[in-house]
Structures are given as structure tokens and as C-alpha cells.
Amino acid sequence: MSDTVIETSFAKDTGPAVVRAEHLGLTFPTGDGDVVALSDVNLTINKGDFVSFIGPSGCGKTTFLRTIADLEKPTSGTLTINGMSAEEARRARAYGYVFQAPALYPWRTIEKNIALPLEIMGYAPAQQAERIKRTMDLVNLSGFEKKYPWQLSGGMQQRASIARALAFDADLLLMDEPFGALDEIVRDHLNSELLKLWDRTQKTICFVTHSIPEAVYLSTKIVVMSPRPGRVTDVIESTLPRERPLDIRETPEFLAIAARVRDGLRAGHSYDGEHV
Amino acid sequence: MTRILPVLTILLAILLFWYAMAVHMNAPWQTTLNTRADLTEVPFTTFAQQTWAQDKPVLPAPHQVITEIWNATVALELSSKRSLAYHGWITLSATLLGFAFGTALGVLLAVAIIHNDASDRSLMPWIIASQTIPILAVAPMVVVGLGAVGLTGLVPKALISMYLSFFPVVVGMVKGLRSPENIQLDLMRTYDASPWQVFWKLRWPAAMPFLFASMKVGIAISLIGAVVAELSNASGGGLGVRLLTGSYNGQTVQIWAALFIAAGLAAILVALVGSAERLVNRRMGARA
């Protein structure tokens, strides 16, 4: 854990801070002692960043995302989102959250699922229709408006859940292993679609994954985490261009970043005896 | 055909068994009758037919029950005090009113229980205890007690139906309203949805399958509640009263006819709830 690495990475950042965590800690009390899910996390995420959180299970990457979303309360340190507290940010609907599972409501059609946040936030019907159309176009789901979730493949369902998170105008998109349950071919496809979407919408994206290629391919910044206690071990600024065709994954530059991520994971001593 | 054949086979087996048991159970009395009438050497086929045609048989034959049902419904004026259609209607109206009360009460209690820890702990034991009291003991007290304060007729019976039918609805709806997964609830939290919105947009639709399963049980026991309540008030009419007078007078055929009408009503009511369920399922996009 070296603050200096992170501080130097701050220096290269350009946009204003969207998420700023300082000495953030979160401890879960359990029956047999406390579990330190997050320990002294210092991180700044700037506007327009695509940040991946990578690490083995138990490293706190999902917990950190949930803390940003005010789904978990930190037990120490400070956390601000757009200059607000996490709770204020949630109440201001500052982010869209994409879960590991699509979590579509099975009794709603796809368009009605996307309408769900809009209904809750009180958008007028005409605005709802316009936003549903726009976001469904954005995730290439046009034509499936009237389908029920079970009529769609897993990849399409997850795209619908991304559309739902994009439907209202949150500038921050929090994604918790959204493609973890999908096969590699679908995943590649959705990864490149997600990059295009990020480029078009200029959103700030926080993306949890345990796939090194996925993290390197997508991110402008890779946060490497390790468990027991959950902490940040390395923050890597990607030198890859914004425009990334799928075959960028064969370039030496890409492989060099992937190697550094792998080193960071190994340094965390997370898998005793297991390979990373 | 593949669905109707097993049903018909079972029905046929039941009928055969029933006729056989009718011979067996009515035989002692028929033998006595025949001895009195100095009838000896009665061939078995004749004897069997005699046992199926007694006035007050121990076990009436199916055709006797069906004839009685026909005579007491289609062949009678609706206004007749002996019409099973008339009595069936009295029971049905109490059943439906009690079922409506019971479902409403059950849903309200379930909503209170899931939204409030204190009511969860304080209400649930009483709700369970309420069902351990034999309804046969409670019904007369309620009917007579309410009669004493001038409340007679439909409502006391409906209250007994409600007493029985709210229970499956509470239990089912508590489970149903709690059925949304954490991830679905978290989603609502990220939208900063109000408790009201979480209820109507998530908990209520998620509970629908549980509601219908509970209502199917609830409507059948509503009918039982209404019949039991009628036993306590012979002047009010209803299928329960027909059962009671039938047993006073040894009119077994009348008892069985009333039983069959009650069972038929219950089957129709459960089927109606089932159709409502299918209708709702279709509107909620369930797999065909």
C-alpha cells in the first residue's frame, strides 16, 4: 500500500473528481469477529474515467462499489460523490447501478422495466417514451420493447439492465461484474459495445470485474485490490487510446498493462499456492 | 383424451366401490326387512337392488343422491324451503362475503407484519393461536353472541368464514411480500424509491402467485366456515341447516345431497380463483 503511487496518479487526472475516498474503511461485525471489508482506501475518480476494480473474491471491490452507492455504510474515513455524501448522492439519483444479475422484474416487459426508474422519479409519460427509445437504441435492443425478460437471452437481459441504469440522467454508472455470468463470446461483444456507449455518453464508469483482459481492455484506470483486509494495492493509469478495437488485446502495450495488473494481484498474496 | 381417461377410470372405481359398500352397509337392515316380510331366498341381484333403494339407507347409492339433488334443485321452486339451490345460495353468499373479508384482513395483517418488526413479533403468535381453537366451539358463541346484540343473518356467518380464511392469506402474503430478492430491493434503494413505491412496484406484484395459492385454500375453508356457522342457527337456512335437519331425521340421502352441493360449490369456487389466477398471470407476462 503506497499512497505515493496513488498521489502521483492523481497528478495526471484532468476532469473534476466524481468520487473521492479518503482513508475509507468498512468493517462488518460477524459472529466470529470483525471482517475488515475495506481498509484505508484512498482513491479519486474523475469525470469521464472508466475505472475497473479487480481483485480476488473478498478483496472488497463489490463492497467499495456498494459503498459509493450508499448500499453499505463506511465505518471510517470520508467518501464524497460529486461533492456530496453518498446518501445525498443516492437521494439525488447521482448514479445508475448495474448488478451482477440483470434483476429485471419478470412481470414487466423490457420497456416497462426500463420505465421503472423513470416512473419512480416521476418523469412524464412522453419523456419516459423518449428515454426508453433512446436507451434501447443505445444498447441495441430496439424491437424487443414488448418482450418479457424470460424471452431474452442472458446477454440481452443484461443489456436491458444497462439501459435501465442509463434511462435517467445519472453521470455515474456503477457496474458490479455485469458480464460475469455470460460466456466469453457474448462478453467480448458487450465489452466493445460498452466502450462505444461510454464514448458516446461521456459517463464516468466504475466497473467491478475479476477478469484481467476485461479490466485492461475497458479501463482508463485500473484499481488492483487484495483481500484480508480488503485494500487497494495498485492504481494503474492505462496508456491505451480511447479508441480500442478488440484486437488491441494482442498489442505489447496491452500485454504490458495486463502483466502489471497480474503482478499487483500476486503482490497481494491473495491466493496462497493458487495461480492468479 | 389423455387427461380425461385417468379421471374417468378413478371415477368408475369410486362408483363401483360405493355401490359395493352400499350393499354391504345396508344389508343388515334389508335382511331384517325381508325377514319381517317373510321374503326368503332373495336372489343376490334383487337383494342388491333392494339395498340401493331404501328410504333411509345407512349409505345411499350414488343414483339416490343424484336423484335427490335433481329433485331438490331443478325440480323444485327456488323459493321452496326444501330447495337445495335456495340453501346453496344462502351458504354461497356467506362464503363469498366471508372470503372477501378474510382476504382483505389477511392482506392487511401481512402488510403490517412485513413493514413493522413489532407487529411481526406481536401479531404472528396470536394469528397462529387463533387457528388452534376448534371452529366448531367458536362458531356457536359468535353466532349466538352476535344474535344477542341484534346482528343476525349473513354477517355472523361471514365472520366465521373470515376467521378461517384470513389465515392462509396472512401466511402466504407474508411470504409473498418478502419474496423479492435483495438485489431487487437494492435496485429500488438506488432509485431512492419511497416505501409506497417499493410496495406497489415490487412487493405486491411479486406476491401475486402467493396470494392466489392462499386464496384457493381460503375460499374452500370459507365455505366450511359458513356451513359450520349455519349449524348454530337452524332458522337461517343454508346447506349446514340441511345437513343438520337431515341428521336429526335420519335422512341420509338429504345429507349426502347437501354434502355434494357443498363440495360442488367449493370445486367451482376454487376453479374460479384458478381462472382469475391464470388471467392475472397472462397479464403479468408469465410463460404460457
Side-chain angles (χ1 to χ4, degrees), chain A residues 204-263:
Chain A
T204 309
I205 299 184
C206 295
F207 188 95
V208 166
T209 179
H210 50 225
S211 157
I212 296 172
E214 191 172 65
V216 179
Y217 177 65
L218 293 172
S219 316
T220 56
K221 186 186 238 172
I222 302 159
V223 179
V224 183
M225 298 182 75
S226 87
R228 285 179 294 275
R231 63 197 189 278
V232 175
T233 48
D234 196 6
V235 178
I236 301 160
E237 296 287 338
S238 177
T239 49
L240 297 176
R242 264 183 94 96
E243 191 72 26
R244 297 174 187 182
L246 269 172
D247 54 19
I248 202 169
R249 294 179 299 183
E250 267 92 84
T251 61
E253 209 177 351
F254 184 97
L255 295 174
I257 298 170
R260 184 168 159 198
V261 173
R262 195 170 284 112
D263 285 344

Side-chain angles (χ1 to χ4, degrees), chain A residues 66 70-71 90-91 93 95 97 99 101 103-108 116-117 119-121 148 150 164 168, chain B residues 183-194 197 201-203 205-206 282-288:
Chain A
R66 288 176 63 85
D70 190 37
L71 295 173
R90 178 173 64 80
R91 297 208 181 280
R93 282 107 180 206
Y95 63 84
Y97 201 105
F99 291 88
L104 299 169
Y105 291 2
W107 53 86
R108 283 176 172 250
L116 178 71
E119 288 172 16
I120 288 171
M121 297 172 194
Y148 283 94
W150 62 269
R164 184 180 55 187
F168 52 104
Chain B
I183 196 171
Q184 292 174 323
L185 289 163
D186 278 347
L187 187 70
M188 282 299 197
R189 195 172 149 77
T190 68
Y191 300 151
D192 192 34
S194 67
Q197 288 170 325
K201 293 190 188 297
L202 177 57
R203 290 191 190 273
R282 240 202 318 277
R283 289 204 47 194
M284 288 174 62
R287 254 167 257 236

Side-chain angles (χ1 to χ4, degrees), chain B residues 125-202:
Chain B
W126 288 105
I127 289 168
I128 291 164
S130 76
Q131 301 301 306
T132 61
I133 298 165
I135 189 66
L136 219 55
V138 174
M141 293 195 289
V142 172
V143 173
V144 173
L146 287 175
V149 296
L151 198 55
T152 55
L154 195 59
V155 175
K157 293 195 283 182
L159 287 180
I160 301 296
S161 288
M162 177 187 84
Y163 186 87
L164 288 182
S165 65
F166 88 96
F167 183 68
V169 177
V170 178
V171 174
M173 283 306 275
V174 165
K175 188 140 180 73
L177 293 172
R178 283 186 178 149
S179 67
E181 295 165 38
N182 281 339
I183 196 171
Q184 292 174 323
L185 289 163
D186 278 347
L187 187 70
M188 282 299 197
R189 195 172 149 77
T190 68
Y191 300 151
D192 192 34
S194 67
W196 185 253
Q197 288 170 325
V198 174
F199 183 82
W200 284 114
K201 293 190 188 297
L202 177 57

Side-chain angles (χ1 to χ4, degrees), chain B residues 196-250:
Chain B
W196 185 253
Q197 288 170 325
V198 174
F199 183 82
W200 284 114
K201 293 190 188 297
L202 177 57
R203 290 191 190 273
W204 181 256
M208 278 304 105
F210 296 83
L211 178 65
F212 279 104
S214 309
M215 288 204 305
K216 279 187 196 165
V217 180
I219 199 153
I221 58 176
S222 274
L223 187 85
I224 292 173
V227 169
V228 168
E230 282 161 0
L231 297 178
S232 313
N233 180 15
S235 62
L239 292 174
V241 172
R242 291 306 282 170
L243 289 172
L244 201 65
T245 53
S247 74
Y248 283 159
N249 303 326

Side-chain angles (χ1 to χ4, degrees), chain A residues 164-180:
Chain A
R164 184 180 55 187
L166 293 170
F168 52 104
D169 284 323
D171 289 330
L172 178 62
L173 195 56
L174 306 174
M175 307 179 85
D176 183 8
E177 290 190 48
F179 309 139

